[in-house]
Amino acid sequence: MAPKGDESGEPMIKRFYELQEKILSYYPEANLELLKKAYTIATDAHQSQLRASKEPYMVHPLSVASILADLRLDEISIAAGLLHDVIEDSPYTREDLEKRFGKEIADIVWGVTKISKISTMDVVDAQAETLKKMIVAMTGDIRVILIKLADRLHNVRTLAPFREEKRKKIARETLEIYAPIAYRLGMGKIKDELEDCSFMYLYPEEFKRISAEVDDRHDWVIAQLEALKTEVGKILADYHIHAETEYRIKRPISIYRKLQRQNIDLDRVYDLLAMRVITDTVANCYAIMGAIHQRWPHIPARWRDFITTPKSNQYRSIHTTIITPEGVKFEIQIRTFEMHQVSEEGIAAHWKYKEGLGFLDNDTRLEWFRDMIEHHRTNPDPKEFLTSVKKDLTPNEIYVFTPKGKVINLKGGASPIDFAYAIHSEVGDHCKSAVVNEKMVPLRTVLNSGDVVEILTAKNCHPSADWLKHVITIRAKRRIAAYLQKIDNVRLAERGKRLMSRVVREYHKKHKLVLGDGEMERRIVALHYPDAETFFRDLGAGKRPLDRPFLQALFPEIQAPAVVPVAHPGHRTDPLHRAIVVEGIQDLEFSLAKCCSPIKGEAIVGYVTASRGLVIHKKGCPSVAAAVPLRLKEASWSETGEVNFLVRYDLTVLDRPGTLTAITAVNAAHDSNIKKVEQEQINQNTARVALTFEVRDQSQLHEIEAHFLSTEGVIHLNRRRLTSR
Ligand code: MN
């Protein structure tokens, strides 16, 4: 038997004036001009098309509009319903519709088109749950979903002419995706019909068997329900409560699910027979429940109060199951008229035209929607098939398509670069530009659910640091960072090689050092480096200085310069005495002044102190300018003495990896020994390197100075006093 409430038997609307009459019956001020225009354009767009039933195509948009009119929706929804297949099936574009009907209608039709594409695309790899979320996420205006549900409803009502395979595909999709969406939105009536039609086509055997079993009991069932109706009527009269009653037999799909779940036979289904009592007030609901519980025993485990605790889709009702003395069980649902309307129409009720009130404004609708969301958050019902509406509607996830229709699930805010990496890391690494919905867009564009995204690649395109600003998926971030690291490593290794070759060139000039092909690499590996590349990279990154011991180990053929004790200031040393000739003085202790730290080659003067012997200053050093002439002694450098002089330089450098190594490499190249290196950040880009090293004489120092100044990253240098404050 046909389930009660099935509207498919309703006369189908085939003419525009019938639709017009239907709308005018509830909405006398409807904008008929708009509707007529929509009808005309739709007729033009579909003029040469036929449905599978061989009827003119316009039967379908008219029926969809009629279902929307049954929901008493506004003219925008109904006009969009008439136009819903125009973009998809005809040369009319979204822009055409916007020009003729304005943005609101064009956007809604576009939304329906986007959702329709999901069905026609090959979405084998997407789960029903994903598709459901996707459809909701893609919907900016809830009317898009209302139209899509009406569209699907008419399609499942008219599945018969299709081949079995196609019927089953549409029926399965309806059961898994569209019926649950209707349920979540509280649209019980449409949900039921979507399920009933789909069940019939998806499980024809089961449908036949269950329908036959129910039919076998039909006369008995109706007699039972009529008897109950009479009894309940008496109770209502006794209590003077105004209420309407209606009854139904459980729908085949619900019976099927219950039998499957509990593995029982039809006679054990408690709610096979159900009666609904609809009254004016909540107080009446409880009064009726009390009276019924007094009249018949009820099954406590089957009692549910969805009035106090509504379902997340705002369904409210009392459910109770009673047993008659004959042992027949009935489920009785008690609710108010308002609750009844919400259970039948759900969210659609809020777009509905109400006499005397017109349409609710958007704010009121939104408030209702927020209530629904808020309610679910505070009363989560784990049994709900669908979880929070809020979770699905917040744009934390988006669903976009490849040109071939593969669904790619990304975080909200994702860009084409994220998309490219989600496709394949190679696509990401070489992405050049993006085409979104057939338009070229910058790679930083934020994607939206439903976008069709194509990535153009080029071999010579590579990730840049800039990309990191425009990606939000971990996968893309990781890949880009890895690529940048790789590039950086190559760059650092090149810098390391340059530093090394500078040393080698210098050694070649000075010591006639000649290295064969690959000789350097072999030597580096012999010094326990895993490979030469790693060594050069460390060198370039400044992780390893080119110090003298290492260079001596690397180039054993180079004679190490004679190691001579350093003339530390303040210590009497023989080398200093040998290196400096001061007339008439031999037994005084010699030291080098810290203020000017003279080195061999610079003009010097000796200054006799009371406690520290003879201190050697640069000629013209301010600290001896005012000295008594008697204390000053002529001094000069001897040809023979070998002394290493300590000098300190402050270098202002760009703070980049490798700069420090470059500096130390300069010293190595000039056979100078670094004694101390201190680095200090000046600001984000620059640093100061305080370098104390040994030189033999002024000419060596000049060479090093010149070399510093030509070194990449060195901005400025300054010779300083040796003492540090
Ligand atoms: Mn359609």
Side-chain angles (χ1 to χ4, degrees), residues 35-76:
L35 293 167
K36 205 168 275 170
K37 199 163 105 190
Y39 176 76
T40 310
I41 296 293
T43 308
D44 179 54
H46 300 300
Q47 56 179 335
S48 52
Q49 291 167 262
L50 291 179
R51 298 211 87 212
S53 61
K54 305 284 181 281
E55 289 172 299
Y57 194 87
M58 270 313 284
V59 167
H60 171 63
L62 269 174
S63 304
V64 169
S66 166
I67 292 168
L68 298 169
D70 286 336
L71 291 168
R72 303 189 164 212
L73 298 188
D74 60 352
E75 62 246 328
I76 297 279

Side-chain angles (χ1 to χ4, degrees), residues 120-321:
T120 57
M121 284 171 162
D122 180 21
V123 284
V124 276
D125 52 345
Q127 296 293 308
E129 191 61 36
T130 307
L131 290 170
K132 243 173 344 200
K133 280 193 193 170
M134 192 158 102
I135 289 169
V136 176
M138 279 164 65
T139 305
D141 188 322
I142 201 79
R143 287 175 293 187
V144 168
I145 288 195
L146 300 183
I147 292 167
K148 190 61 211 173
L149 289 174
D151 174 46
R152 183 47 64 111
L153 181 55
H154 184 245
N155 283 339
V156 289
R157 277 177 185 171
T158 52
L159 274 181
F162 290 101
R163 278 179 300 114
E164 191 191 346
E165 197 187 326
K166 176 143 191 199
R167 282 201 303 247
K168 286 199 164 171
K169 178 185 184 290
I170 294 175
R172 177 175 292 113
E173 198 182 67
T174 306
L175 272 187
E176 290 181 352
I177 298 165
Y178 292 99
I181 288 175
Y183 172 77
R184 171 171 26 180
L185 297 177
M187 303 168 71
K189 202 166 158 184
I190 285 185
K191 183 215 89 179
D192 285 356
E193 200 187 337
L194 287 171
E195 283 186 347
D196 292 341
C197 294
S198 307
F199 180 62
M200 200 163 72
Y201 289 113
L202 190 58
Y203 302 106
E205 293 308 311
E206 290 82 349
F207 176 78
K208 263 182 231 150
R209 185 171 54 76
I210 290 169
S211 301
E213 276 195 61
V214 173
D215 275 352
D216 284 347
R217 294 164 172 79
H218 182 259
D219 292 348
W220 176 84
V221 156
I222 295 298
Q224 295 299 319
L225 285 166
E226 280 296 333
L228 181 73
K229 190 179 161 101
T230 309
E231 282 300 309
V232 170
K234 274 187 212 158
I235 293 171
L236 293 170
D238 287 350
Y239 284 81
H240 304 290
I241 295 173
H242 169 251
E244 288 171 12
T245 54
E246 57 181 47
Y247 56 72
R248 64 123 180 89
I249 302 169
K250 201 173 179 65
R251 297 178 302 126
I253 184 169
S254 306
I255 295 173
Y256 170 74
R257 283 180 180 149
K258 188 147 260 184
L259 298 184
Q260 287 253 308
R261 233 182 2 245
Q262 302 184 351
N263 196 21
I264 51 174
D265 63 36
L266 195 57
D267 292 321
R268 300 276 322 272
V269 176
Y270 284 131
D271 53 355
L272 179 67
L273 306 179
M275 167 161 285
R276 208 170 269 158
V277 185
I278 310 168
T279 185
D280 305 313
T281 63
V282 171
N284 280 354
C285 292
Y286 287 103
I288 293 167
M289 180 189 82
I292 285 174
H293 283 179
Q294 263 187 329
R295 174 73 174 74
W296 295 284
H298 72 282
I299 303 169
R302 302 271 319 157
W303 177 76
R304 300 262 194 291
D305 181 1
F306 295 120
I307 290 182
T308 311
T309 312
K311 291 190 186 184
S312 68
N313 64 7
Q314 291 220 330
Y315 175 88
R316 299 171 81 199
S317 208
I318 292 168
H319 291 189
T320 189
T321 301

